[in-house]
């Protein structure tokens, strides 16, 4: 870890080969291999067979760090994740409107357009792009801790579509993402906070209504 930090290595960077790295950090090669295995398990390093060892894309963020996969009541979990998003993401959007770079705004608009294209093509790939959109907004906030936290919480997006999807919600997704994008691009933190809050509330209410309808059917 100290080697990575000291040498300012970042996502996608390749480490020196095993022999050279062992010399640089002054340990035996067997010790080095054990360290690499440990860092791979923590999603800090990624070993690519035949290529080498690289800094992981989601550095240090392991899959399911909060143990969501062990929660049996997944609908309740989805509802609770929306509650947390409601508390955090409007503020994140406001910070993004203040701190985002022009390049980040351009990238966000690109993802927004991809979401619309995927929805128009009736492709479920829009869910992955939706998560990518919200992840980038959190990065644009400039708050490193919030960025990592929100990326974990946004598992609720994919879980939400597991329970509820409709043409109306897809249309709302297109409109709300446009509004979020425009507010951030306009550098209007108050508007960005408001439209993000409306977006989350709308989805949460749809989920709640769908739950009630299913209970009536039962």
């Amino acid at each position: 870890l100290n080697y990575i930090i000291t040498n300012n290595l970042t996502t996608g960077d390749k480490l020196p080969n095993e022999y050279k790295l062992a010399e640089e950090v002054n340990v035996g090669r067997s010790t080095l291999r054990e360290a690499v295995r440990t860092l791979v398990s923590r999603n800090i390093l990624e070993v690519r067979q035949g290529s080498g060892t690289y800094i992981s894309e989601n550095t240090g963020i392991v899959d399911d760090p909060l143990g969501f996969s062990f929660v049996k009541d997944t609908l309740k979990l989805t509802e609770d994740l929306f509650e947390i998003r409601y508390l955090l993401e409007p503020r994140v959007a406001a910070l993004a409107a203040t701190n985002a770079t022009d390049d980040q705004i351009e990238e966000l608009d690109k993802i927004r357009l991809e979401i619309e294209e995927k929805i128009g093509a009736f492709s479920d790939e829009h869910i992955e792009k939706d998560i990518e959109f919200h992840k980038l907004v959190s990065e644009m906030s400039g708050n490193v801790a919030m960025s990592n936290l929100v990326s974990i919480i946004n598992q609720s997006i994919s879980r939400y579509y597991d329970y509820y999807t409709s043409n109306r919600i897809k249309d709302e997704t297109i409109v709300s993402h446009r509004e979020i994008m425009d507010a951030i691009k306009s550098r209007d933190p108050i508007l960005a906070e408001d439209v993000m809050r409306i977006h989350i509330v709308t989805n949460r209410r749809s989920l709640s209504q769908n739950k009630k309808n299913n209970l009536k059917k039962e």
Side-chain angles (χ1 to χ4, degrees):
L1 281 175
N2 186 59
Y3 177 87
I4 292 169
I5 295 169
T6 301
N7 289 276
N8 296 314
L9 299 182
T10 187
T11 298
D13 286 347
K14 184 179 180 180
L15 294 182
N17 63 48
E18 185 180 275
Y19 180 79
K20 183 178 179 181
L21 185 56
E23 280 192 335
E24 289 196 37
V25 297
N26 195 30
V27 298
R29 294 169 70 180
S30 61
T31 301
L32 180 64
R33 292 190 195 107
E34 184 61 32
V36 168
R37 281 194 291 269
T38 300
L39 294 180
V40 167
S41 71
R42 294 169 59 184
N43 204 29
I44 293 171
L45 295 180
E46 174 188 358
V47 177
R48 301 176 190 172
Q49 294 301 322
S51 179
T53 304
Y54 297 80
I55 307 298
S56 175
E57 181 178 349
N58 296 311
T59 311
I61 303 177
V62 299
D63 292 337
D64 195 24
L66 302 181
F68 290 149
S69 60
F70 292 96
V71 178
K72 292 183 179 180
D73 191 342
T74 54
L75 177 56
K76 178 64 164 58
L77 173 60
T78 305
E79 293 172 327
D80 289 349
L81 286 171
F82 265 117
E83 183 70 26
I84 297 173
R85 288 183 62 194
Y86 179 79
L87 295 172
L88 295 179
E89 281 201 89
R91 178 58 182 163
V92 167
L95 289 171
T98 302
N99 299 323
T101 66
D102 291 340
D103 287 344
Q104 286 177 320
I105 291 174
E106 184 177 339
E107 179 63 21
L108 188 69
D109 201 28
K110 178 183 175 182
I111 296 172
R112 176 190 65 81
L113 290 172
E114 288 175 339
I115 292 172
E116 295 185 15
E117 290 172 2
K118 299 299 182 183
I119 289 177
F122 303 99
S123 170
D124 287 340
E125 291 179 9
H126 75 89
I127 300 172
E128 181 180 337
K129 288 296 175 182
D130 197 331
I131 294 171
E132 193 175 332
F133 181 93
H134 285 268
K135 180 180 179 181
L136 181 54
V137 171
S138 68
E139 292 173 1
M140 293 161 74
S141 72
N143 185 313
V144 179
M146 187 72 77
S147 174
N148 285 343
L149 183 60
V150 169
S151 67
I152 296 169
I153 293 170
N154 277 340
Q155 291 185 45
S156 66
I157 295 174
S158 58
R159 293 178 183 276
Y160 171 67
Y161 283 109
D162 285 342
Y163 284 103
Y164 182 69
T165 186
S166 69
N167 289 332
R168 183 180 65 79
I169 278 297
K170 290 178 179 179
D171 290 342
E172 190 280 330
T173 295
I174 291 174
V175 172
S176 62
H177 283 77
R178 284 178 184 171
E179 291 177 340
I180 294 166
M181 173 66 221
D182 290 343
I184 292 174
K185 188 175 182 179
S186 299
R187 306 291 184 178
D188 188 334
I190 295 176
L191 180 59
E193 183 171 343
D194 287 347
V195 294
M196 181 64 83
R197 180 172 288 109
I198 291 170
H199 174 49
I200 295 171
V201 166
T202 300
N203 284 350
R204 188 169 62 170
R205 289 181 65 185
S206 296
L207 182 67
S208 178
Q209 186 60 51
N210 187 60
K211 178 181 177 180
K212 290 178 181 178
N213 292 340
N214 287 335
L215 287 174
K216 288 180 181 178
K217 291 178 183 179
E218 292 174 0

